[in-house]
Amino acid sequence: DSSHLAVVGGDDRHTLRVYDLDPPLTRSGDEAVIVAPCKAGVEPPAVTGIYATPRDTARRFGNDHLLVTVGKGHLAFWLVDLPRSKSRPGEKPKYEFAKRLPIYKPHKAPGATHAVAFV
């Protein structure tokens, strides 16, 4: 629905932040961050891309949004769920956020992932 923006930072830990854009321009900086910053857990410059799945794909996993980050020695799935109820005035809405890593057994993990496509 394009009401959120996911960003991978240029800091040493490639921090992933998700910003709420609805309503736009009412909050700025850390006030706009809906998810506690999460570390990709790899050394820079490892994370080179971020992709959002189509909404129906995320729903198949039981989530509102599914993001994928890729890079050198890095592939991670980020599950994001939107608040289920309205928050009180002055209270930050509660989002659920989780990171999942792929399981490569019995294969070896790739040295780099450059792109993903949802088909």
Side-chain angles (χ1 to χ4, degrees), residues 48-69:
T48 57
I50 185 169
Y51 301 87
T53 66
R55 184 161 288 213
D56 62 327
T57 302
R59 293 263 160 85
R60 279 190 224 130
F61 287 92
N63 299 97
D64 293 322
H65 298 283
L66 173 61
L67 305 172
V68 180
T69 52

Side-chain angles (χ1 to χ4, degrees), residues 40-101:
V42 290
E43 295 300 319
V47 179
T48 57
I50 185 169
Y51 301 87
T53 66
R55 184 161 288 213
D56 62 327
T57 302
R59 293 263 160 85
R60 279 190 224 130
F61 287 92
N63 299 97
D64 293 322
H65 298 283
L66 173 61
L67 305 172
V68 180
T69 52
V70 299
K72 182 180 177 186
H74 177 77
L75 176 65
F77 303 92
W78 306 86
L79 310 169
V80 182
D81 287 320
L82 302 176
R84 298 292 178 230
S85 60
K86 293 267 186 192
S87 56
R88 296 182 179 115
E91 184 179 79
K92 211 172 192 181
K94 183 168 173 43
Y95 290 79
E96 298 292 327
F97 198 67
K99 175 183 175 183
R100 301 285 185 264
L101 299 174

